Amino acid sequence: MEAILLVGGQGTRLRPLTISTPKPLLPAAGVPLLEHQVTRARDAGVTRIVFATSYRAEMFSEAFGDGARLGMEIVYVTEDEPLGTAGAIRNASAALTCDGDSPVLILNGDILSGHDISAQIAAHEKDKAAVTLHLTLVDDARRYGSVPTAPNGRVVDFVEKSPNPPTNQVNAGCYVFRRSVIEHIPAGRAVSAEYETFPELLAGGEVICGYVEAAYWLDVGTPATFVRGVCDLVLGAMPSPVVSPHEHGALLLDGASVAPTARVGGGTAVGRGAAIGAGARVESSVLFDRSVVEPGARVVRSVVGEGARVCSGAVLEDCVVGDGATVGPGNELLNGLRVWPNAELSATAVRFSPE
Ligand code: GTP
């Protein structure tokens, strides 16, 4: 079976991490983020996958080549201008080899989902649907596309990001399309699947079905959800074919070092060659390769970029430190603060609660 992976977005909500690296390629528990979904798709029977690239396209082929490393075939279709989600699907479909009746799996490159992809494909075939969407259940559907279904599973409406969503079933960003349906998406212009394609297919009387499964699911689009997703991979809450769960709560990649008196846990991933000094505490965080947390520093629910340094006694909570930046001694960064790549904060430049 073939699949299309949407990986052309700019990942603006995850800046500054996405300035140098596209969101789907950010390191997540030792591998690029998208590798978790790609290998899950492979294990569900996908043998060939078309990457729909745009932003920093060349980095994807550098990371994945022809796919042989993962035991599948990977090809690349690059948009000159971003075509939006459905425009990208239409554009990438030129590289598919299957016939018009075949199912094609479409994945967003920034989702972590433990749902049963094989069961979604089987439901699509059984219903002879044009499109079958994975729908997941969330507590607050206002930030998502709410998708009510009839008792027989047929989608009855698409309500994008509404203050009054009709249901807490939301579009989870994993679709099965009948290939011939993709050819109806207009070519050569930007098209949104959520705002245009799905509502139009529904209005045209096509069979659109919801596959509802409330397995682990996370849209890894913001720093907070990125950190949570990586920690869940490390702890095994999100099952991935390429990660073994770490009961002790931390994943240390090659060459990472942790001083004996440091405390590291909560699903923290410590990148290749990264170092954590004596007495430091690192909780539920992501340390990219070659980053340094000096003695006595505290890092909680934060990302420390590649080669970045958190100096002695500094505190980070819910923050992002860009690649190569330095947070000088004694700084206290809280509440979503983002330090740009290569910035240098001198000693106690930022202090929220001075003693
Ligand atoms: P934000 O800018 O933070 O909203 O992130 P994003 O650019 O990734 O957008 P969004 O999260 O809505 O995208 C969902 C998925 O579709 C991601 O995997 C994106 O890489 C992908 N995507 C979004 N827009 C495009 C596009 O124009 N072309 C392609 N090929 N993929 C896209």
Side-chain angles (χ1 to χ4, degrees):
M1 181 170 167
E2 291 184 299
I4 294 172
L5 184 73
L6 299 174
V7 290
Q10 303 230 351
T12 49
R13 290 166 296 157
L14 260 170
R15 283 185 189 152
L17 299 174
T18 47
I19 291 174
S20 54
T21 307
K23 175 169 53 174
L25 292 181
L26 287 175
V31 298
L33 175 66
L34 64 77
E35 197 162 320
H36 304 289
Q37 287 314 108
V38 165
T39 50
R40 287 182 60 83
R42 176 198 64 195
D43 293 354
V46 170
T47 53
R48 188 168 183 276
I49 190 158
V50 183
F51 278 29
T53 60
S54 174
Y55 178 63
R56 293 190 169 271
E58 70 294 344
M59 292 182 74
F60 290 90
S61 47
E62 284 163 14
F64 287 94
D66 63 3
R69 176 171 72 80
L70 299 179
M72 55 203 311
E73 185 187 351
I74 297 178
V75 295
Y76 303 86
V77 174
T78 301
E79 296 143 45
D80 297 332
E81 293 292 325
L83 292 172
T85 43
I89 295 170
R90 175 72 165 92
N91 192 55
S93 71
L96 296 172
T97 59
C98 58
D99 65 32
D101 287 332
S102 298
V104 178
L105 184 71
I106 315 281
L107 299 161
N108 276 2
D110 58 350
I111 296 290
L112 289 175
S113 177
H115 82 285
D116 185 342
I117 296 173
S118 303
Q120 181 183 357
I121 297 165
H124 174 84
E125 302 275 63
K126 182 170 149 288
D127 293 332
K128 300 189 176 12
V131 182
T132 301
L133 298 90
H134 171 215
L135 305 179
T136 190
L137 303 172
V138 294
D139 291 335
D140 181 358
R142 287 176 298 182
R143 289 186 296 120
Y144 301 96
S146 175
V147 185
T149 47
N152 64 0
R154 297 272 294 260
V155 170
V156 295
D157 204 359
F158 287 95
V159 182
E160 272 301 315
K161 298 183 181 66
S162 154
N164 299 305
T167 166
N168 65 343
Q169 277 178 190
V170 302
N171 176 358
C174 177
Y175 321 116
V176 185
F177 270 70
R178 189 191 310 135
R179 181 178 176 178
S180 56
V181 173
I182 297 176
E183 313 305 327
H184 293 301
I185 299 170
R189 69 166 173 91
V191 185
S192 159
E194 299 79 1
Y195 286 96
E196 268 184 80
T197 306
F198 293 141
E200 280 176 18
L201 288 170
L202 199 59
E206 295 281 1
V207 177
I208 313 288
C209 291
Y211 169 78
V212 183
E213 189 185 326
Y216 181 95
W217 182 83
L218 194 64
D219 171 357
V220 189
T222 65
T225 56
F226 174 70
V227 169
R228 204 164 87 225
V230 173
C231 294
D232 286 343
L233 284 161
V234 171
L235 294 171
M238 163 64 202
S240 166
V242 286
V243 183
S244 324
H246 290 70
E247 293 125 34
H248 302 301
L251 168 65
L252 306 188
L253 294 166
D254 290 350
S257 66
V258 177
T261 53
R263 283 188 294 150
V264 183
T268 292
V270 186
R272 295 176 180 86
I276 300 176
R281 189 180 141 211
V282 183
E283 184 70 22
S284 303
S285 292
V286 185
L287 309 186
F288 284 2
D289 293 353
R290 293 176 294 288
S291 58
V292 177
V293 176
E294 289 188 354
R298 183 152 61 89
V299 177
V300 181
R301 293 182 303 275
S302 295
V303 185
V304 181
E306 190 171 327
R309 176 173 290 267
V310 182
C311 294
S312 293
V315 174
L316 298 183
E317 277 186 26
D318 304 296
C319 287
V320 174
V321 177
D323 295 344
T326 301
V327 177
N331 284 293
E332 191 173 302
L333 311 185
L334 309 175
N335 299 335
L337 208 133
R338 302 179 193 205
V339 179
W340 236 240
N342 302 316
E344 298 209 7
L345 295 186
S346 56
T348 60
V350 184
R351 191 122 193 211
F352 279 86
S353 52
E355 276 96 38

